[in-house]
């Protein structure tokens, strides 16, 4: 990796991007182009000295830098190219960030543009189930201005807006610190996904350990696929979270922002550990399922073995009674036959009761 004003760090430089998992998001979004949401751009000005307020995008003052105790957050949902480039010109946003959003790339990337920086990350969709899908989010930090760009609604951004707009003091944060907070929320989507995943594993294990277990191979396969997908979505973000706290990335940042970046890197490592543990949970569940299947097979084999022994004894008795010797026993006719059958039936029933008493059946 290189440092400096034009340094750019991309997951494409990382071997973990070889499977191009995150690039599938671009193909999925292109396929769903007909379902693109209506474009919406909003601006929220955080003011440490006054109330936080919405800002008119058509205002002539939008292009002016906010004060030291103000922070302008512009959130653009599926903006058009002309509208986006006009906004970039008014706010002096880097052209690379705009081109990166308008392109088809979806892999995480971090780019230092000198006075500003921009990055692209993937958040986990909040829909229930194990079909984890990603939503690409581009963030631009320039001065006291933060711009977020996304083609589809991102749930945690709405949560941030609802919570932060009712609080004061956010205007004291710099753009880097606010981006750090947004990235922490983005990591939270992975924590939430892992929580849903763990709940699914627990339900599966309860079913496996029940008195009437069901065939869980299909669900195990879905869980294993989901765990691998989560890891492939999160792992390429190392180029973002690992570079933000580096001393050479933005040496002009203040200590508070650097502290936020370091804490963010720690949270990312925790998220990676949880995702790795998710794969181990699936392996453990499969071993539990295999053990239960083996136990059920052992029970079946015990019954079959016991039945084989009993049938073998009866076959021996029947074979002895079928021997052609001139013994009085073989000349008893119907009475002897009846006695032999009753004795064999009693022996079979007695063996079954004996097997149950010893716990063999």
């Amino acid at each position: 990796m290189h440092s400096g004003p034009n340094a750019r760090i991309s997951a494409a430089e990382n071997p973990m991007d070889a499977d191009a998992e995150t690039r599938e998001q671009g193909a999925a979004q292109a396929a769903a182009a007909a379902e693109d949401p209506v474009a919406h751009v909003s601006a929220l000005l955080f003011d440490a000295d006054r109330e936080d307020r919405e800002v008119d995008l058509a205002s002539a003052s939008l292009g002016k830098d906010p004060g030291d105790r103000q922070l302008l957050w512009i959130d653009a949902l599926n903006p058009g190219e002309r509208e986006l480039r006009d906004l970039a010109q008014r706010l002096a946003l880097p052209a690379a960030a705009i081109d990166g959003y308008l392109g088809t790339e979806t892999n995480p990337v971090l780019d230092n543009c000198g006075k500003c920086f921009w990055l692209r990350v993937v958040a986990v969709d909040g829909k229930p189930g194990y079909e984890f899908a990603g939503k690409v989010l581009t963030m631009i930090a320039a001065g006291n201005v933060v711009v977020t760009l996304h083609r589809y609604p991102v749930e945690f951004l709405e949560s941030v807006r609802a919570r932060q707009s009712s609080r004061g003091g956010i205007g004291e944060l710099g753009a880097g610190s606010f981006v750090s907070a947004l990235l922490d929320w983005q990591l939270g989507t992975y924590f939430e996904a892992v929580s849903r995943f763990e709940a699914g594993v627990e339900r599966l294990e309860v079913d496996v350990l029940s008195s009437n277990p069901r065939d869980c191979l299909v669900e195990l396969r879905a869980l294993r696929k989901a765990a691998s997908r989560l890891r492939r979505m999160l792992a390429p973000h190392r180029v973002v979270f690992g570079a933000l706290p580096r001393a050479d990335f933005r040496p002009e940042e203040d200590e508070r922002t650097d502290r936020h970046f370091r804490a963010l890197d720690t949270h990312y490592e925790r998220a990676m550990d949880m995702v790795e543990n998710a794969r181990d949970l699936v392996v453990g569940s499969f071993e539990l399922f295999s053990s239960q299947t083996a136990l059920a097979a052992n029970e079946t084999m015990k019954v079959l073995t016991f039945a084989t022994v009993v049938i073998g004894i009866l076959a021996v008795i029947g074979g002895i009674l079928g021997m052609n010797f001139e013994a009085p026993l073989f000349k008893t006719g119907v009475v002897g036959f009846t006695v032999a059958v009753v004795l064999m039936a009693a022996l079979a029933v007695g063996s079954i009761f004996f097997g149950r008493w010893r716990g063999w059946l």
Side-chain angles (χ1 to χ4, degrees):
M1 301 179 184
H2 304 283
S3 62
N6 298 318
R8 177 168 179 167
I9 305 169
S10 170
E13 302 169 9
N14 194 309
M16 290 186 296
D17 189 51
D19 59 8
E21 175 65 21
T22 55
R23 296 176 185 272
E24 294 180 4
Q25 305 299 327
Q29 292 180 3
E35 303 177 1
D36 283 350
V38 177
H40 176 72
V41 181
S42 61
L44 180 61
L45 181 65
F46 299 106
D47 196 327
D49 300 319
R50 300 169 56 188
E51 291 185 358
D52 300 337
R53 55 193 180 276
E54 295 283 344
V55 178
D56 185 7
L57 292 174
S59 172
S61 61
L62 185 63
K64 298 180 181 179
D65 293 334
D68 292 337
R69 294 173 58 82
Q70 293 179 330
L71 176 67
L72 178 63
W73 176 27
I74 299 177
D75 182 54
L77 169 62
N78 194 31
E81 180 176 359
R82 178 179 299 179
E83 181 183 15
L84 185 57
R85 293 196 181 279
D86 177 69
L87 181 65
Q89 183 177 6
R90 297 174 63 187
L91 297 176
L93 301 179
I98 305 304
D99 294 337
Y101 168 78
L102 294 174
T104 58
E105 294 290 333
T106 60
N107 55 297
V109 61
L110 176 65
D111 192 0
N112 185 4
C113 304
K115 294 182 178 180
C116 62
F117 69 94
W118 72 278
L119 54 89
R120 179 170 58 231
V121 293
V122 179
V124 181
D125 195 347
K127 294 181 180 178
Y130 308 136
E131 296 294 332
F132 298 124
K135 291 185 176 179
V136 180
L137 175 63
T138 300
M139 302 183 192
I140 307 172
N144 283 355
V145 177
V146 174
V147 180
T148 52
L149 308 172
H150 46 103
R151 288 190 173 90
Y152 299 94
V154 179
E155 290 80 3
F156 78 83
L157 289 181
E158 296 300 323
S159 299
V160 172
R161 177 180 294 275
R163 294 190 179 192
Q164 304 292 21
S165 60
S166 61
R167 300 179 181 179
I170 304 300
E172 295 182 356
L173 294 177
S177 293
F178 189 68
V179 166
S180 177
L182 293 179
L183 289 175
D184 200 42
W185 279 83
Q186 179 256 345
L187 284 178
T189 63
Y190 287 89
F191 285 110
E192 182 181 353
V194 172
S195 297
R196 299 203 313 265
F197 181 88
E198 290 176 345
V201 171
E202 290 178 0
R203 288 193 298 268
L204 175 66
E205 292 181 348
V206 169
D207 289 341
V208 169
L209 294 173
S210 64
S211 58
N212 186 23
R214 57 184 176 85
D215 186 6
C216 301
L217 280 178
V218 174
E219 191 169 355
L220 275 171
R221 186 163 52 246
L223 286 170
R224 182 64 177 84
K225 182 179 178 182
S228 297
R229 178 162 180 78
L230 269 181
R231 187 187 185 282
R232 290 196 299 268
M233 289 173 62
L234 182 59
H237 287 82
R238 192 177 303 276
V239 298
V240 175
F241 295 103
L244 281 173
R246 278 206 332 247
D248 63 330
F249 177 66
R250 292 188 63 78
E252 71 277 6
E253 291 287 2
D254 55 48
E255 176 59 29
R256 181 171 64 174
T257 302
D258 289 338
R259 187 169 62 251
H260 292 162
F261 285 159
R262 289 193 296 269
L264 190 63
D265 187 36
T266 302
H267 291 174
Y268 169 74
E269 294 299 334
R270 287 178 54 197
M272 279 299 303
D273 290 342
M274 290 189 65
V275 170
E276 292 287 356
N277 184 58
R279 298 202 303 172
D280 294 338
L281 286 177
V282 177
V283 174
S285 297
F286 179 76
E287 291 177 352
L288 179 63
F289 175 74
S290 300
S291 299
Q292 290 298 106
T293 303
L295 288 174
N298 288 340
E299 293 296 323
T300 302
M301 291 303 299
K302 285 170 58 177
V303 174
L304 291 176
T305 301
F306 184 82
T308 301
V309 171
V310 173
I311 293 173
I313 293 174
L314 298 180
V316 170
I317 295 174
I320 293 175
L321 295 177
M323 298 173 67
N324 295 323
F325 289 103
E326 293 294 330
L329 176 64
F330 300 128
K331 296 180 180 180
T332 56
V334 176
V335 175
F337 173 77
T338 303
V339 171
V341 171
V342 171
L343 287 176
M344 293 172 68
L347 178 61
V349 173
S351 299
I352 293 175
F353 278 104
F354 179 75
R356 287 185 176 274
W357 176 68
R358 292 299 301 270
W360 297 342
L361 296 177

